[in-house]
Amino acid sequence: MLTNWGVAASTLAAFVGLAVQPPSIPVIPVPSGGPAQPPSSSEQSEPDIGAPNFPSRTQVQLKVERDGVLSVTETITVRRGGSLNRKSPLRIQSGDNRDRVFVIRNAKLVGNGSVEANEDEFSVRLGEGKSILTYQVDGTVADVGDLQEVRWQIAAGWDARMGLLRASFIAPEPAASVSCLSGPFGSDQPCAHAQTEPSGVTRVDLQDLNAGDRVDLAVKIPSGTVAANAKFAAPKTVAGAFSLTPFSGFGLLALAVLLLAGGALLWSARRRDAKAATANVGQVDVLIRQNDGVAFASPDGVLPGQVGTVIDESVDAVDVTATVLDLAVRNYLWIEETQGDWRIVQRNPADAALTSYERAVYAAFATDAVSTLSPDMKAIKKAIRGDAVQRGWFKSRSVWLFTGLGVAVAGAGLTVALALTVGNALLGLAVVILGLALALGSRLLPARTKRGGVLVAQIQGLLRYLRETDPASIPDQDRDLVFSRSLPYAVALGEAPRWLQAFGPAGDLHWFSGGRNLQGFIAAMDAAAAK
């Protein structure tokens, strides 16, 4: 009878003992000498979402494959009514002014939550219940001396307390040593329980991880066991963003090629323009003989005020003087000398035959005294250059200038964006340099077009005509007309003294009452325009 009571008592004690045991987390068995197996497909597709009352917990299985990829399965249970979110960095400072870079691939979550991985961060969001997270990590294996080290943070960036963490790690060869650190980022506190069993399975067992704590597991295995795939990069700082990388180096090489090509094109264009400007086309015949008469016709219809601009690509005071003389010859203005000064008056109203710059010169004579004349040279210069562009002699360089400035501004924005995000900010600087080169190069481009170059050669022929024409070759009845029409061009080309000496009028001209003192008027007009 005592024996029966003893059996009954033992049975009752065992039942009571089981009743008071706290809930425990089962360890996923790992076959001796073999890899840890992930949950079956049925477990992944139908996770248990019954939420317990005790703290959240996680169970992590890690297996490094022969190709160096680390396969990870995490079974995470979140307490009832709670949530658990993870944001862990994928770039970890590794000393020597560089970062260790990890890449997450094929991240999937079955259960109550979501997962996302980008270049810099691994994010997991979980609700209550059990969820199964699987993913692969590239960049965990590094050759260290005569061993290989597999490193991964099996927990990092959780925003709530983790009551229990259990992890198992296996590799094709048994581990030579294990290093496990836990606690806040940067701490060197060793894990309480981290060891490799005789079966070759490395196990980690930790309790009460605080929010934000990380568990950094580094397992060393024999050299050559798996493929090394550790990746390192310059830190993502402002200074690091400007470090030379293969990608930014390719961009700088492309910039150098573009600059060399642009320089060659610029040199070729300037050489072609200089060659056209010095071409010897012989004397240009600007005299048209009709019915025993002679008239003057300029090449390509170029006006006296435009001659100097086409030659030297700038508008000078002498161009305004030449325009005044031409307007007088054409009966729009009247010029006379009055008591030591010169008087210019509007003789006929401006009409459609005048160009925009001729109208600007014509409008300057609201006063009739040259000594008080103050022409708007800025408006005149703009009008002369605009007329030359319209006639096809010049091309507008402002298009290249503003394009270059726009490219430079866009490059500056790109530089800032790259420096604050993915790095390779040298690419942005390359775009800035390209834009500035375009803007500065636009000032070196020849303004003349091909047609303008032909006109320059013709103007050289006109200059030879002014220097070599014999007055005796001009019929007497046409001499004043040829002299008057040619004089503005002679002034613009610096041949006025010779032209006045060779063709000086015998008496008053129809547009000038200053006698033979044309040289005095030209000097006074040059001085007034230069002001």
Side-chain angles (χ1 to χ4, degrees):
M1 182 174 181
L2 290 175
T3 301
N4 293 336
W5 275 105
V7 172
S10 299
T11 303
L12 178 62
F15 178 81
V16 172
L18 290 171
V20 299
Q21 284 293 326
S24 61
I25 301 174
V27 176
I28 297 177
V30 180
S32 177
Q37 299 298 322
S40 66
S41 58
S42 61
E43 289 179 309
Q44 292 190 28
S45 61
E46 298 178 1
D48 178 12
I49 59 172
N53 291 321
F54 43 80
S56 301
R57 62 185 190 250
T58 182
Q59 187 162 298
V60 186
Q61 292 176 286
L62 305 104
K63 176 186 176 184
V64 62
E65 309 287 353
R66 285 287 185 182
D67 61 2
V69 174
L70 181 67
S71 298
V72 183
T73 299
E74 298 187 29
T75 304
I76 308 164
T77 306
V78 181
R79 63 181 179 82
R80 182 177 292 118
S83 64
L84 199 58
N85 301 305
R86 172 179 181 175
K87 286 185 178 295
S88 55
L90 295 179
R91 296 175 67 101
I92 301 174
Q93 187 174 357
S94 182
D96 299 328
N97 194 31
R98 62 179 185 171
D99 288 346
R100 181 80 176 266
V101 180
F102 301 92
V103 178
I104 298 289
R105 295 192 177 93
N106 303 321
K108 299 177 183 178
L109 187 137
V110 179
N112 185 15
S114 62
V115 60
E116 181 181 356
N118 56 37
E119 183 181 2
D120 297 315
E121 192 174 63
F122 183 38
S123 302
V124 182
R125 292 172 291 279
L126 299 173
E128 67 176 31
K130 184 172 77 172
S131 300
I132 299 174
L133 172 65
T134 60
Y135 56 91
Q136 295 176 320
V137 191
D138 190 15
T140 62
V141 183
D143 290 323
V144 181
D146 57 353
L147 295 172
Q148 289 184 312
E149 182 183 76
V150 184
R151 180 182 179 185
W152 178 239
Q153 293 188 349
I154 57 178
W158 291 111
D159 65 351
R161 174 174 171 264
M162 185 74 71
L164 183 64
L165 178 147
R166 282 180 175 167
S168 63
F169 170 89
I170 59 172
E173 296 292 338
S177 64
V178 177
S179 173
C180 181
L181 302 176
S182 64
F185 278 96
S187 64
D188 56 359
Q189 176 183 344
C191 300
H193 300 284
Q195 60 183 4
T196 300
E197 298 176 347
S199 63
V201 179
T202 298
R203 297 190 185 278
V204 177
D205 194 339
L206 295 172
Q207 296 183 2
D208 295 328
L209 292 176
N210 294 320
D213 279 1
R214 62 84 169 90
V215 178
D216 193 340
L217 179 64
V219 180
K220 290 185 178 179
I221 56 179
S223 178
T225 299
V226 298
N229 56 12
K231 298 178 176 65
F232 298 91
K236 285 193 173 181
T237 62
V238 174
F242 289 91
S243 60
L244 184 63
T245 65
F247 195 56
S248 60
F250 177 79
L252 292 176
L253 179 61
L255 170 66
V257 172
L258 287 174
L259 291 178
L260 288 174
L265 290 175
L266 178 61
W267 175 82
S268 177
R270 290 180 63 87
R271 184 171 179 270
R272 183 173 59 250
D273 183 70
K275 185 177 180 180
T278 57
N280 185 5
V281 297
Q283 180 175 317
V284 172
D285 189 4
V286 294
L287 301 178
I288 300 176
R289 293 173 173 83
Q290 292 179 339
N291 300 324
D292 297 329
V294 177
F296 179 87
S298 64
D300 205 8
V302 64
L303 296 169
Q306 298 167 331
V307 168
T309 303
V310 173
I311 290 291
D312 60 14
E313 301 182 10
S314 68
V315 182
D316 305 311
V318 68
D319 300 321
V320 176
T321 301
T323 301
V324 170
L325 289 169
D326 189 50
L327 291 176
V329 171
R330 291 155 58 193
N331 285 324
Y332 289 101
L333 299 176
W334 167 259
I335 305 171
E336 65 179 351
E337 187 174 14
T338 57
Q339 297 179 352
D341 202 351
W342 293 93
R343 179 172 174 261
I344 303 175
V345 295
Q346 297 174 352
R347 192 171 191 177
N348 288 303
D351 55 28
L354 297 184
T355 65
S356 57
Y357 86 88
E358 288 176 318
R359 289 175 178 273
V361 173
Y362 179 88
F365 296 99
T367 175
D368 60 0
V370 169
S371 60
T372 59
L373 180 66
S374 181
D376 186 352
M377 290 297 292
K378 183 176 181 180
I380 293 172
K381 289 180 179 181
K382 182 178 179 182
I384 291 179
R385 183 169 288 275
D387 189 71
V389 171
Q390 185 177 3
R391 290 173 181 260
W393 299 329
F394 283 178
K395 51 181 172 286
S396 178
R397 293 182 293 190
S398 59
V399 173
W400 291 104
L401 173 63
F402 290 116
T403 299
L405 292 177
V407 171
V409 171
L414 179 62
T415 301
V416 173
L418 291 175
L420 297 179
T421 54
V422 299
N424 290 307
L426 287 178
L427 289 177
L429 286 182
V431 176
V432 172
I433 294 172
L434 179 61
L436 293 178
L438 280 174
L440 295 175
S442 69
R443 310 308 301 167
L444 299 176
L445 278 172
R448 286 186 292 265
T449 61
K450 184 176 181 180
R451 180 178 175 182
V454 172
L455 177 59
V456 168
Q458 292 175 333
I459 292 174
Q460 296 295 336
L462 172 60
L463 181 59
R464 291 191 61 179
Y465 153 77
L466 294 172
R467 290 174 176 173
E468 299 174 2
T469 297
D470 183 2
S473 65
I474 309 298
D476 291 342
Q477 69 272 18
D478 297 321
R479 283 191 60 187
D480 283 352
L481 176 61
V482 172
F483 166 78
S484 298
R485 291 302 308 276
S486 302
L487 178 62
Y489 294 92
V491 170
L493 294 172
E495 291 295 316
R498 187 263 171 189
W499 193 254
L500 288 172
Q501 182 179 2
F503 278 88
D508 288 342
L509 300 168
H510 71 278
W511 51 271
F512 182 76
S513 65
R516 299 181 62 87
N517 194 18
L518 275 168
Q519 189 62 54
F521 169 74
I522 293 171
M525 191 62 220
D526 284 346
K531 288 191 301 184

